[in-house]
Amino acid sequence: PVIPSSSKDMSKYSTRDLKKREIMDKDPLDWKLNPRIATGWSLLNACNYVEQQLSKIYLPFIVLHGTEDKITDHTSSDILYANTGTDVNNKAV
């Protein structure tokens, strides 16, 4: 699974509004470092579980995710699209 994790400053990708970036940078709840091992392990387990359940999804859906996204890797959307049980005629990219 693809787990988003980065110690890079992501606020510059989140908004162009400099005042909002300043607020985000000062937020004490915004974790600036890599995740703790227990958090990373929990994320990995959650991602594995969701990925294993994808074949049980039979609803029509659309995936909107650009390949130039700087925050979340688009390969997770590719996995979602490829591995659901939904008929290919009811999927859109």
Side-chain angles (χ1 to χ4, degrees):
V2 179
I3 298 178
S5 172
S6 177
S7 58
K8 294 189 304 184
D9 177 20
M10 298 305 235
S11 66
K12 65 182 175 183
Y13 301 118
S14 300
T15 181
R16 293 183 183 146
D17 185 328
L18 295 177
K19 289 187 181 204
K20 287 182 182 177
R21 272 197 221 164
E22 189 176 314
I23 292 169
M24 290 168 59
D25 289 339
K26 291 180 181 177
D27 184 354
L29 298 177
D30 182 22
W31 187 255
K32 305 283 191 241
L33 304 173
N34 285 326
R36 292 180 28 230
I37 190 72
T39 304
W41 186 254
S42 294
L43 284 170
L44 179 63
N45 287 334
C47 289
N48 279 333
Y49 175 78
V50 169
E51 194 172 321
Q52 291 169 359
Q53 303 303 313
L54 288 177
S55 64
K56 296 178 182 177
I57 297 175
Y58 291 101
L59 300 171
F61 68 93
I62 185 169
V63 177
L64 300 173
H65 195 165
T67 57
E68 298 298 316
D69 189 333
K70 303 254 189 288
I71 296 176
T72 305
D73 190 335
H74 73 87
T75 55
S76 55
S77 296
D78 296 340
I79 292 168
L80 172 67
Y81 179 83
N83 294 326
T84 61
T86 303
D87 181 279
V88 73
N89 295 325
N90 287 320
K91 295 183 200 180
V93 177

